[in-house]
Each structure stands twice: as structure tokens, then as C-alpha cells.
Amino acid sequence: MKKRNRGFQIFSIVFLAIACIMIIIPFLLLIISSFTDENALMTDGYSFFPKKWSLGAYEYVFGSSGMIVKSYGYSVIVTAVGTVLSLVITGLMAYPLSRKDFRYRNFFTFMVFFTMLFNGGLVSQYIMWTQLIVVKNTILAYIIPNLLMSGFNVMIIRNFFSNDIPFEIIEAAKIDGSGEFNTFLKIVLPMSKPIFAAIGILTALGYWNNWTNGLYFITKPELYTFQNLLNRMIQQVNFLSSGSTVINSSQVKIPSVGIRMAIATIGVVPLMVMYPFFQKYFAKGLTVGAVKG
Amino acid sequence: MKTKTVKVKKKRKESEIVFLLMLLPGVIYLIINNYLPMFGLIIAFKKINFSKGILGSDWAGFDNFKFLFKTKDAWIITRNTLLYNIVFIVLNLVLGVLFAIVLNEIRSNVLKKSYQTILLLPQVVSMVIVAYMAYSFLSYENGFINNSILKPLGMKEVSWYKEPKYWPFILTFIQAWKSIGFNTILFLASVVGIDTSLYEAAEVDGATRVQQIMKITVPLLKPTMIVLGLLSVGKIFYSDFGLFLQVPMSSGSLFNVTQTIDTYVYRGMTSVTNIGMSSAAAFYQSFVGFLVVLGSNALVRKLDSDSALF
């Protein structure tokens, strides 16, 4: 009987090994392509075993074009500022909603909750942010629309506050003369580090990976974040290969086949390096949001 | 005694003011980002003229909807959105359960952790990057499949970005590839949580591991599967915008199998002539989507009230 179990275990190990290889292969091809000689790419295509290796793509990326470095800088700033702002607003909103003794709790909870069920759709949101409150072609366009606060995150943090922080502690602080805000800052927040870490990782990744806001609101290439630069390049690859449009020379310079992959690699590798460290919180953030909103 | 109640009342007022101030930034944001656009949905009934603004534009009645539903686009985008989502939901449940069970079989903690970490890796990259990866495989001139698989085998190269028949499979594969880790960890906790004495008893009775899984694990996971499945059904009118916009690289010959409601709304919005139909499609998505969420949630509540959204 033990033997039969062994059999299934070996099957599991092999099955998952194959699955993991399939997960990794596209990453590998991307990275190897970026280190492949341009001529080899032209003749043999993207390959796992290039005939000739080269650092040429990276020399170009870090050498001649300041745009890539700059867009990377924008991504870093947007991610940092956006994540901090988002956690502050979300935390501030979640706390009163977690307090059963707050009179208007139901009203505001519904206000948050309803946004999870119904939304105005892309067109009216677009008009909102371009006509009424104009963020078009400013760095605010990356930070504010859609990403700054989500109803889901407010509810998740609210649930953490009301389930994992004993009300007795809050009451005790009150009796000791601590004001509500002071209690929140000095007692509740330090006890809530795990949930803020989990939501913070998700938010930061959301900002880092976001390309939609740039797509909707940014038309000036000099304001592109890294994702938008990537996005723009892949779209131009497309109309290059379809051969239908003449490329305007004033537009973003189109890097050749290998350089494109080098730039994508620069986008991926830092994430891959940091990923094992934040994996735990990332996984937690994903499940806490999915299983119970 | 009286002064004490007055004091308590004053204290209460004070905390209320603090709470309201804490809520203020979030409330302002929700009003601007979420509630005003809801009212903005009325543009679906207007002849949009940006120079006159939303309120100033002339009313168009149901014209935008008439135009939209007269085109065959309305049918195509609805069909694509629903069919892809149905396939994704079923596939994600099956793969999630399968991978969670298989992962749970592994004894070595190091190996288990490593597998889980790798499976979750695609979840951290953006769809733009995924589109680059797909392109490195599918590009006609330089792609890996054409150059390193089809050519050496003496087969004809395929112009992937122009052949619609492959795309339902390509998109389904990429979707599964990207979300497999997430779907696995959704079920992993439930699999780990199953009482091991059940398996021990089955083993004494001579059940094989596969029998134990089919007769014990899967039935015990069923409630979680149903709830998670229904929650995704609630989002069935919304497609993964990045997947459908980025990965097919806006290739026009693929629109029949890659255009969903979200990409249609976006593409219409960026052209002056189609913005009316685009806003009608956005309205249609918001309202039908809302009804579906309410319906699926009502079902979830009946089955397992703790997992319901409300």
C-alpha cells in the first residue's frame, strides 16, 4: 500500500515539474532573446540556443536612449507615491467602517460596497477624468484614476480590523484617555501590519504593472512609464509588420528585434528577483481578496 | 451623574467627527471616481459632442443602442465575452483543484514551496510583458514556433496573427498559464484543511490514492468550487481587457474571435465616429453585469451565506 502512495507522489512531482517548466519557458525565451546577437535573431528567430550571444541590446538601452531610463524612473515614482497614498486613504476609510459604535457605519459601508457591484464603465470614467477633472498628460493620471482606492481593499482591511483586533483593546485605550485617531495610529495600525503588507504588495504591483491609465490619459511619449513605453513599442512592431503605415520619424524610435526583448527583460527581471521575498504576502493578498470580499 | 452623561455624549460626538474626517478623502474619491461616472452613463442616450460637454450634448434617445444592436458587433462581442469566460471559469476550477491536490501530495516542504512560487510567477507580470512573450513564440518572421519547430519539421510556417482559428486556444492557454498559480492557492487551503483521518480510514479499507482523491477530496471541495465558480459567473460580462487587447496585438483579422465588450468599448472610445455605440456598449455591460452579479450572489447566499458578497 505504501508503494502505491509512492507512485502517486512521484507522479505529482513529475507533473508539477513539467508544469513549472512550461511556466518558466516563456520567461527564459524572453531573457535569452535579449542576449542574442541581432543577426542571429534575424536568421534563426528567437531561440533558446542562440548561435551568437551579445550584449548589444543592453548597450543600446543604457547607452543611447535616455527615454528608457526616464520611463523606469517614472514607474518607480508612480509606484511609490501611489502605493503610500492608496494605503493611507484605504486604511483611513476602513477603520471607521469597522467600528460597530459608529452611527453612520451602514451608510458609508454601503457606499463603498455598491462600487463593487456597479460601475459607470470606461467611457464615462474617461470623460470624467478628461473633461471634469483634467488629469490628462500629467503624472497624476498614473496615480489617481481607478487605482488609488478599491472598494475590495477597503472591505478587506475593514474585515481585518473588526475580526482581528479585539474591541477591548480599543475600549481600554479610550478609558485611558486616548483619542480615536491616536488609538488608530498607535494601537490599531501596528497590529495590522500583515494585512497592510499584503494589500500593499498587491497595490504596488498594480501600479507597477498598470498600462491602462497611460493608454487612456497620456499622449506625450516623454511622460511614458515603463509599461507604456513597452506597450507603445509592441503596437508599433505590429503596424511595422503589417506594413500598412509609414512610420513617422518623430515618433518613438523603434528598436530592433533584440532590443525590444531587452527592454521587456529589464521590466521582468527586477520583479523576478524581488518576487521570492514578497511571495508570501502576495499569495496572502490574493487569497484574502478572492475568498471573502 | 448628569454631567457624566453629557461628557459621554460629548466624547461620542468627538469620535464621530474624527471618524467622519477619516472617511473624507475616501468618500471624495469614491464620488469622483465611481459615483459621478455612474451618472455619466446617461451619455449612452446622448449624441456626444465634446465641445458641448456631457450635459450639454443633445439627447439621442435609444439611437446609440439601435445602431449598436443593428451591427453584428453586438452579437460578436457578447458571444466572445461570454464564451471565453465560461471556458475560463470551468478550466480554472478544474486546473485549480487538480493542481492543489497534486501540490498537497508533495512531502518535501522545500519542493512544495518552490513549485508554488514558480506557479504564481506569471501573476506578477503585466499583460504587456505577456504579449511580448507571446510574440517571441508567434511572430511570423522571428517567432520560435515558426523558426525552431515548424521549419525543422518541414512544415509550413503559420502566420499566427492572421489566423483566427488558433486564437481561442492561444488565449485560453495564456489565460490558464497566467492564472494557474492563483487558482491553485485558492483551493490549497481547503485541500490542506481536510481531516487526514478520513484518508487513513480509506487506506485501511484498501482505497488507492486516486480513489481517495475522487471519493473524498473532490466531494469535499465541491462547495468551495461552486461558490468560487458562481462568484466568477458574477463577472461574466467583464473580460480580461489586457489579455484580449494586448496579446492579439490589435490584429484586425482576428477581431472576430478576440473582440470582447471591453476591447470594443475601448476601441470605440478612441474613434470619434463610434463613441456613441461605445458608450451604449458600456451601458449595456454595466447594467447586464450588475444584474448578473445580483443573481449569482443570490445563489451563493443560498448555498453558503458566509461566502456571499452581501
Side-chain angles (χ1 to χ4, degrees), chain B residues 14-302:
Chain B
E14 256 176 46
S15 13
E16 235 157 47
I17 291 169
V18 172
F19 286 157
L20 288 171
L21 282 175
M22 288 171 80
L23 286 170
L24 193 65
V27 168
I28 292 173
Y29 184 71
L30 287 180
I31 289 173
I32 297 172
N33 190 64
N34 299 80
Y35 282 94
L36 285 178
M38 288 181 199
F39 295 107
L41 279 171
I42 56 164
I43 53 167
F45 301 98
K46 294 223 168 194
K47 203 174 152 54
I48 297 169
N49 182 340
F50 279 114
S51 58
K52 289 184 184 169
I54 303 175
L55 293 175
S57 294
D58 300 329
W59 289 98
F62 283 93
D63 281 0
N64 289 330
F65 292 90
K66 272 186 210 147
F67 290 136
L68 173 66
F69 286 101
K70 240 184 231 158
T71 63
K72 66 178 204 303
D73 290 351
W75 154 245
I76 289 174
I77 59 177
T78 309
R79 177 199 68 187
N80 287 348
T81 307
L82 292 181
L83 276 184
Y84 276 115
N85 272 333
I86 290 167
V87 172
F88 292 174
I89 292 167
V90 173
L91 190 70
N92 287 345
L93 286 179
V94 171
L95 288 179
V97 168
L98 174 70
F99 275 72
I101 289 172
V102 173
L103 195 60
N104 190 46
E105 285 301 307
I106 291 172
R107 297 268 168 80
S108 149
N109 264 333
V110 178
L111 198 57
K112 202 188 221 170
K113 264 263 118 72
S114 322
Y115 279 153
Q116 194 187 327
T117 305
I118 293 172
L119 289 176
L120 210 50
L121 181 61
Q123 197 79 30
V124 304
V125 298
S126 76
M127 268 299 173
V128 183
I129 301 268
V130 175
Y132 274 77
M133 291 175 175
Y135 181 79
S136 67
F137 282 90
L138 301 174
S139 156
Y140 183 75
E141 299 88 7
N142 309 310
F144 178 77
I145 295 180
N146 278 353
N147 280 289
S148 301
I149 297 177
L150 297 181
K151 239 193 227 165
L153 288 175
M155 286 156 87
K156 216 170 158 261
E157 288 145 306
V158 177
S159 184
W160 297 99
Y161 288 97
K162 293 199 177 90
E163 293 276 2
K165 63 182 174 213
Y166 301 114
W167 280 86
F169 301 100
I170 294 173
L171 291 172
T172 305
F173 179 83
I174 291 175
Q175 190 280 144
W177 176 85
K178 193 158 191 326
S179 62
I180 183 70
F182 173 60
N183 292 311
T184 305
I185 57 171
L186 278 185
F187 287 101
L188 195 58
S190 320
V191 175
V192 173
I194 293 172
D195 186 356
T196 47
S197 64
L198 290 173
Y199 296 122
E200 280 155 18
E203 212 164 303
V204 171
D205 290 343
T208 65
R209 197 75 189 107
V210 176
Q211 281 172 332
Q212 292 171 29
I213 286 166
M214 295 314 287
K215 295 276 153 63
I216 299 171
T217 319
V218 173
L220 283 173
L221 288 179
K222 228 183 210 163
T224 318
M225 286 174 80
I226 291 172
V227 167
L228 288 176
L230 280 172
L231 288 175
S232 347
V233 167
K235 289 175 278 186
I236 204 160
F237 263 79
Y238 292 88
S239 66
D240 184 338
F241 181 57
L243 179 67
F244 291 97
L245 187 81
Q246 294 287 356
V247 180
M249 308 229 295
S250 300
S251 169
S253 43
L254 302 177
F255 278 174
N256 239 329
V257 294
T258 58
Q259 185 89 296
T260 61
I261 301 177
D262 299 81
T263 59
Y264 179 84
V265 169
Y266 167 69
R267 293 201 172 104
M269 190 178 84
T270 46
S271 82
V272 188
T273 47
N274 283 336
I275 191 156
M277 284 200 273
S278 169
S279 60
F283 185 93
Y284 159 66
Q285 181 181 44
S286 289
F287 269 84
V288 183
F290 180 53
L291 295 179
V292 175
V293 173
L294 292 185
S296 73
N297 188 70
L299 279 176
V300 173
R301 199 171 38 196
K302 256 195 187 156

Side-chain angles (χ1 to χ4, degrees), chain A residues 1 4-5 8-9 11-13 15-17 19-20 22-27 29-30 41-48 89 92-93 95-97 99 102-104 108 110-129 131-133 144-149 152 180-181 184 205 209 211-212 215-216 227 230-231 233-234 237-238 241 257 260-261 264 267-268 271-272 275 278-279 282-283 286-287 290-292, chain B residues 12-13 15-16 18-20 22-23 25-27 29-38 40-41 43 50 54 98-99 102-103 105-107 111 113 115-129 131-133 135-137 139 141-144 147-148 151 173 177 180 182 185-186 203 206 208-210 213 228 231 238 241-242 245-246 249-251 265-266 269 275 278-279 282 286-287 290 293-294 306-310:
Chain A
M1 207 177 294
R4 258 190 294 207
N5 270 357
F8 194 71
Q9 265 194 46
F11 165 79
S12 304
I13 291 173
F15 177 87
L16 286 169
C20 285
M22 286 174 74
I23 295 280
I24 300 236
I25 274 180
F27 287 92
L29 186 60
L30 185 80
L41 280 181
M42 287 303 192
T43 52
D44 308 326
Y46 299 111
S47 160
F48 292 99
I89 296 183
L92 283 177
M93 181 136 204
Y95 182 65
L97 302 185
R99 289 285 298 266
F102 176 45
R103 222 189 323 174
Y104 309 109
F108 287 108
F110 181 80
M111 185 175 182
V112 173
F113 186 70
F114 190 67
T115 63
M116 291 159 62
L117 302 178
F118 187 66
N119 70 73
L122 182 58
V123 182
S124 45
Q125 245 171 21
Y126 175 78
I127 292 176
M128 174 73 225
W129 289 115
Q131 307 286 115
L132 227 57
I133 293 180
I144 299 176
N146 272 322
L147 297 169
L148 193 54
M149 191 179 83
F152 274 102
E180 291 293 355
F181 192 70
F184 171 68
L205 265 177
N209 283 334
W211 47 272
T212 48
L215 182 70
Y216 304 148
Q227 298 291 335
L230 283 176
N231 178 31
M233 280 172 185
I234 204 163
V237 173
N238 178 39
S241 57
V257 207
R260 219 179 284 140
M261 294 300 159
V268 169
L271 279 183
M272 285 175 81
Y275 168 65
F278 64 70
Q279 199 261 133
F282 178 58
L286 283 175
T287 43
V291 180
K292 179 73 194 137
Chain B
R12 221 183 123 176
K13 250 266 120 85
S15 13
E16 235 157 47
V18 172
F19 286 157
L20 288 171
M22 288 171 80
L23 286 170
V27 168
Y29 184 71
L30 287 180
I31 289 173
I32 297 172
N33 190 64
N34 299 80
Y35 282 94
L36 285 178
M38 288 181 199
L41 279 171
I43 53 167
F50 279 114
I54 303 175
L98 174 70
F99 275 72
V102 173
L103 195 60
E105 285 301 307
I106 291 172
R107 297 268 168 80
L111 198 57
K113 264 263 118 72
Y115 279 153
Q116 194 187 327
T117 305
I118 293 172
L119 289 176
L120 210 50
L121 181 61
Q123 197 79 30
V124 304
V125 298
S126 76
M127 268 299 173
V128 183
I129 301 268
Y132 274 77
M133 291 175 175
Y135 181 79
S136 67
F137 282 90
S139 156
E141 299 88 7
N142 309 310
F144 178 77
N147 280 289
S148 301
K151 239 193 227 165
F173 179 83
W177 176 85
I180 183 70
F182 173 60
I185 57 171
L186 278 185
E203 212 164 303
T208 65
R209 197 75 189 107
V210 176
I213 286 166
L228 288 176
L231 288 175
Y238 292 88
F241 181 57
L245 187 81
Q246 294 287 356
M249 308 229 295
S250 300
S251 169
V265 169
Y266 167 69
M269 190 178 84
I275 191 156
S278 169
S279 60
S286 289
F287 269 84
F290 180 53
V293 173
L294 292 185
D306 279 347
S307 303
L309 287 170
F310 56 92

